[in-house]
Amino acid sequence: MTPFASLGSDISRFFDSVGEFFSNLAGLNWLALGLALLFYFGYLTLRSRALFNAVQAAYPAEEVRWRDVWGAYVSGVGINQVFPLGGGTIVQYFLTRISIPNSSYPAIIAALWTGLVFDYAVNVLILLFAFTQGVFPKPPDFSKLPAFDLAFFASHPRFTLFFLTALGIGVLVAFALLSARVKAFWARVRQGFTILTDRRRYVREMVTWQAAAWVSRFFTYWFLLEAFHIGGGVRNAMLVLGVQVVAMLMPFTPGGAGVQQALLLAVFAGAATGAEVAAFSVGQQIALAAGAAAMAFGALALIFRFRSFKEVIRAGKEHRKQGDVPPPDVAAPA
């Protein structure tokens, strides 16, 4: 199958699943869906507190407000849920930066990246669990899954390795070029990593909040599975989290929609009908995207006084003209 034919098939399957979702709305467990959205709000809020503590550690003399860091974070997550290619991460960087007048992009981004340390450790444990359950596809089998982006990269390992290597080098070069003085740039990066230099503070102010956030995220998917009658439980919720980890690496569709659908169909093939899993794969994304988008645009309007996403882009362009340019999107905590 050609790449374009595969992509067309992905789009067709996605809209078929959307149809399945809307045709089964009456059968949803609405109480479970409401609880899932409540836990999702808790997940975003708890994780934003960890990020706030990292930013505050980088700028102890500045007034850093949790609501600003929360608003920037949920705005980024909400936009990433609707638009592909991680554009919401740029918005998060920008909004966090303008909320702290004497801050800099290198320090802000480095501080936000500190959240990835614990996340990556948890992601590895989740994938280890998923791969031991006998239903999660192994990486060599990803090329056989009906997802354009996942199948393409799995079928072309050399290109994938080259792409990741080039991306990493490009990020480092871009960071260096965006700094007028390299020493000052790396000093700001180290400033952003301040909380990592104090192990007790890092555990107390980041790990504990992030661990609580992961628990909340776990129950989000537990109740989403109940809402769509797939069946909650530790194993199923962990498998969905494993799917999320893989989808996170494929930002070419909003929320990694194609990857999620293909993996979920494979993982739950014996637990529910294809139509039920398809409805869940799209329905849970629609529910979470709607909730995240509502929080995003609420934060943009009430905290940052932007009336639309276009206004945020316009403000970012004006910011660039003043000489403070945000680096390209290289990581998106979500």
Side-chain angles (χ1 to χ4, degrees):
M1 182 179 292
T2 66
F4 289 109
S6 178
L7 180 59
S9 179
D10 277 5
I11 295 172
S12 176
R13 275 193 302 273
F14 176 77
F15 283 107
D16 287 344
S17 298
V18 171
E20 291 285 350
F21 165 65
F22 284 107
S23 65
N24 290 285
L25 275 178
L28 284 179
N29 183 333
W30 290 96
L31 175 60
L33 183 60
L35 288 172
L37 292 175
L38 184 63
F39 274 107
Y40 186 60
F41 174 79
Y43 159 69
L44 295 178
T45 300
L46 290 166
R47 195 171 190 284
S48 74
R49 181 67 190 192
L51 298 178
F52 161 78
N53 288 334
V55 174
Q56 182 68 82
Y59 290 99
E62 298 291 332
E63 180 185 2
V64 182
R65 297 184 299 186
W66 181 14
R67 73 170 191 177
D68 293 338
V69 177
W70 175 87
Y73 177 56
V74 299
S75 296
V77 171
I79 292 168
N80 279 340
Q81 288 276 20
V82 179
F83 300 100
L85 302 177
T89 307
I90 293 290
V91 172
Q92 181 189 5
Y93 295 159
F94 168 66
L95 294 177
T96 307
R97 165 66 183 84
I98 64 172
S99 68
I100 308 171
N102 294 319
S103 63
S104 68
Y105 279 110
I108 289 295
I109 294 174
L112 296 177
W113 279 4
T114 59
L116 299 177
V117 176
F118 183 77
D119 286 344
Y120 283 156
V122 174
N123 286 339
V124 169
L125 294 176
I126 288 172
L127 285 179
L128 287 175
F129 175 86
F131 286 132
T132 61
Q133 297 307 297
V135 295
F136 205 88
K138 302 298 188 290
D141 297 327
F142 284 172
S143 61
K144 302 175 185 178
L145 295 174
F148 166 74
D149 38 9
L150 189 61
F152 177 82
F153 283 106
S155 301
H156 301 83
R158 292 184 179 179
F159 174 79
T160 301
L161 180 60
F162 169 78
F163 175 78
L164 293 175
T165 303
L167 181 62
I169 294 173
V171 167
L172 294 175
V173 172
F175 268 30
L177 291 177
L178 286 169
S179 176
R181 297 176 61 186
V182 175
K183 288 185 178 180
F185 168 80
W186 288 113
R188 290 171 180 171
V189 171
R190 287 193 295 272
Q191 178 184 359
F193 289 145
T194 297
I195 199 166
L196 297 179
T197 63
D198 185 337
R199 184 174 61 182
R200 290 186 178 179
R201 183 177 184 182
Y202 170 68
V203 172
R204 184 178 67 252
E205 297 186 4
M206 289 207 73
V207 170
T208 53
W209 288 98
Q210 286 185 270
W214 272 100
V215 171
S216 190
R217 186 175 181 180
F218 169 83
F219 281 108
T220 295
Y221 290 107
W222 180 311
F223 284 109
L224 281 171
L225 287 162
E226 290 289 342
F228 287 88
H229 307 291
I230 304 295
V234 174
R235 180 176 182 269
N236 284 354
M238 289 290 286
L239 288 172
V240 176
L241 287 175
V243 169
Q244 296 290 319
V245 173
V246 177
M248 178 181 65
L249 302 175
M250 301 291 169
F252 304 106
T253 55
V259 174
Q260 286 197 50
Q261 185 174 359
L263 284 173
L264 287 170
L265 286 170
V267 167
F268 293 113
T273 66
E276 289 173 332
V277 178
F280 167 73
S281 69
V282 171
Q284 56 93 10
Q285 283 189 283
I286 291 176
L288 295 184
M295 284 188 284
F297 290 108
L300 288 174
L302 299 177
I303 297 176
F304 300 105
R305 306 302 180 186
F306 289 115
R307 291 174 293 181
S308 68
F309 183 50
K310 289 183 178 179
E311 275 197 26
V312 181
I313 295 176
R314 193 181 309 120
K317 290 179 178 178
E318 291 297 323
H319 211 234
R320 287 201 299 270
K321 290 178 181 178
Q322 297 172 9
D324 198 354
V325 187
D329 181 17
V330 292

